[in-house]
Amino acid sequence: MTEHQIQSEYFKILAWNESKYPDLKYIFAIPNGGKRHIGVGVKMKREGVKRGVPDIFVPGMLEEENFVNITIYLGLFLETKKPKGRQSKEQIEYAKHLQSKGYKYKVCYSVNELLDETENYLQIKLSR
């Protein structure tokens, strides 16, 4: 699977689970990678897109009846990689910075890894 396919499947499964966990709708992708037309790339750079920023952000704010997520992290950043994919120098640097500021950071190589990390972080069980 490509990174695009992994991430698309992840967000599809999150959408299936929103009725049980409405705050899943606040998990979002960060459009910072991929091949683009030069004009689009220039525009995105002007808007603040930066190399190394992770692909997905999971806020640590899920609260349900009789459930409060207590975590030592401010949020979870997920980096999506295809199997055998490697982080760039900028991604490694960004990961270290985010971790030093109180965020959890994980690199995931499959849909299941993305879902597992999300479940562990939010202390929930998603239907797959």
Side-chain angles (χ1 to χ4, degrees), residues 4-23:
H4 168 77
Q5 291 168 325
I6 292 168
Q7 205 165 308
S8 295
E9 185 67 17
Y10 169 75
F11 277 100
K12 182 170 75 173
I13 293 169
L14 291 184
W16 291 341
N17 285 272
E18 279 184 22
S19 61
K20 185 173 181 181
Y21 305 109
D23 285 340

Side-chain angles (χ1 to χ4, degrees), residues 87-115:
Q87 288 183 285
S88 69
K89 180 183 84 170
E90 293 89 356
Q91 289 169 330
I92 293 167
E93 180 182 325
Y94 233 101
K96 288 177 183 176
H97 174 74
L98 291 169
Q99 290 169 324
S100 76
K101 299 300 181 187
Y103 292 95
K104 187 171 184 178
Y105 179 97
K106 288 291 186 174
V107 179
C108 299
Y109 298 89
S110 69
V111 177
N112 282 332
E113 283 187 47
L114 287 170
L115 294 169

Side-chain angles (χ1 to χ4, degrees), residues 32-43:
N32 60 332
K35 302 286 183 196
R36 294 183 174 83
H37 182 274
I38 187 77
V40 173
V42 168
K43 181 179 177 184

